[in-house]
Amino acid sequence: MDFRPMDWTFLTEAARDPRTTGAVAPSGKALARALTDPVRALAPRPLTVLEAGAGTGAVTRALIPQLPPGSRLDVVEANPRFAGRLRRLVDTHPLLAGEPERVRVHRSYVEDLPGEQRYDVIVSGLPLTNFTPDGVDTIMTRYLELLHPGGTLTYFAYRGTRQARSLLSSRAQARRHRAVEGVMAAYQRRYATGRWSVWANLPPARVWQLRRPARDTPDMRRDALYDVAGARR
């Protein structure tokens, strides 16, 4: 089984801020590999890649060696302690020696990311089930805006969270979680191109791939909003 040793900084931050830190352990190698699959699939051409919610850098470490020459990776992390660790990782990574501009760390929420950069691949580590349905919709809309037409988004959700929350959470929290799942299901129906279970992770996870259409139809945004609104009812 591919489990990483406990990172006590990660555990501390999960207790401190469960909204931005959605797990008690970093992603394992098997999950990181599944999340970064689109980068390998598109190599060797230069890519623009965004990692959102990078945490302590488990997926960042998997991404850096896979970046084709001439590629750029933007890493977004709102937690200031995690952002500091990520900057140290970038500053000391041997594959980035002499080329620190290839990877940039932004202490920001992804929905507040400045600039007009567009990405071939977005890898999301954000704990979406910890957000409100409106918050999840805002983030997913921003992801689609940030992707080039034809670009790919990967994200994960832990398996069994609905059952756990139904037993351990309040009714209001359980309702919020179901509403978030409904919002995500609407995006999955419209944009999903793949789904995989990663059992060799703590806890086991499901990875989704979504793709922005190569051509945006005039009604794409309206139809997506309609699907999400229907999912909330």
Side-chain angles (χ1 to χ4, degrees), residues 3 5 26 32 52 57 63 88 112 124 129 138 140 144 147 149 153 157 160 163 166 168 170 178 196 203 225-226 233:
F3 298 143
L63 272 171
R88 289 192 292 275
D112 298 330
S124 175
T129 55
T138 297
M140 294 299 293
L144 290 172
L147 284 171
L153 162 69
Q163 294 86 343
S166 66
L168 302 174
S170 68
R178 288 194 298 270
W196 299 268
L225 286 170
Y226 180 81
R233 289 198 293 269

Side-chain angles (χ1 to χ4, degrees), residues 2-183:
D2 176 27
F3 298 143
R4 295 178 63 85
M6 178 62 70
D7 185 322
W8 291 106
T9 302
F10 205 101
L11 183 61
T12 301
E13 295 305 315
R16 187 199 306 267
D17 188 359
R19 180 179 180 273
T20 58
T21 308
V24 295
S27 301
K29 291 181 180 179
L31 179 54
R33 181 171 179 81
L35 288 168
T36 58
D37 177 73
V39 175
R40 293 188 299 278
L42 293 171
R45 71 177 177 88
L47 301 173
T48 51
V49 182
L50 171 67
E51 183 189 2
T56 56
V59 177
T60 314
R61 291 183 183 88
L63 272 171
I64 290 173
Q66 298 178 44
L67 293 174
S71 297
R72 171 177 169 176
L73 170 62
D74 285 329
V75 181
V76 177
E77 173 55 54
N79 183 298
R81 285 160 290 276
F82 286 170
R85 288 186 58 162
L86 290 163
R87 290 193 177 100
R88 289 192 292 275
L89 167 64
V90 171
D91 289 343
T92 59
H93 200 289
L95 293 180
L96 300 177
E99 298 182 283
E101 69 282 354
R102 291 183 64 201
V103 181
R104 300 181 183 181
V105 177
H106 306 264
R107 183 188 160 192
S108 173
Y109 294 103
V110 68
E111 56 266 41
D112 298 330
L113 192 65
E116 299 301 322
Q117 178 69 54
R118 295 295 177 264
Y119 298 93
D120 301 299
V121 178
I122 297 176
V123 178
S124 175
L126 291 176
L128 293 174
T129 55
N130 288 12
F131 292 82
T132 66
D134 284 342
V136 171
D137 188 26
T138 297
I139 291 167
M140 294 299 293
T141 298
R142 185 59 177 149
Y143 283 156
L144 290 172
E145 292 171 348
L146 288 168
L147 284 171
H148 285 301
T152 300
L153 162 69
T154 62
Y155 69 91
F156 72 95
Y158 293 123
R159 297 184 62 95
T161 55
R162 175 185 289 184
Q163 294 86 343
R165 286 177 188 263
S166 66
L167 293 173
L168 302 174
S169 301
S170 68
R171 290 183 179 179
Q173 289 174 320
R175 282 196 301 270
R176 181 195 56 78
H177 189 257
R178 288 194 298 270
V180 167
E181 287 187 331
V183 171

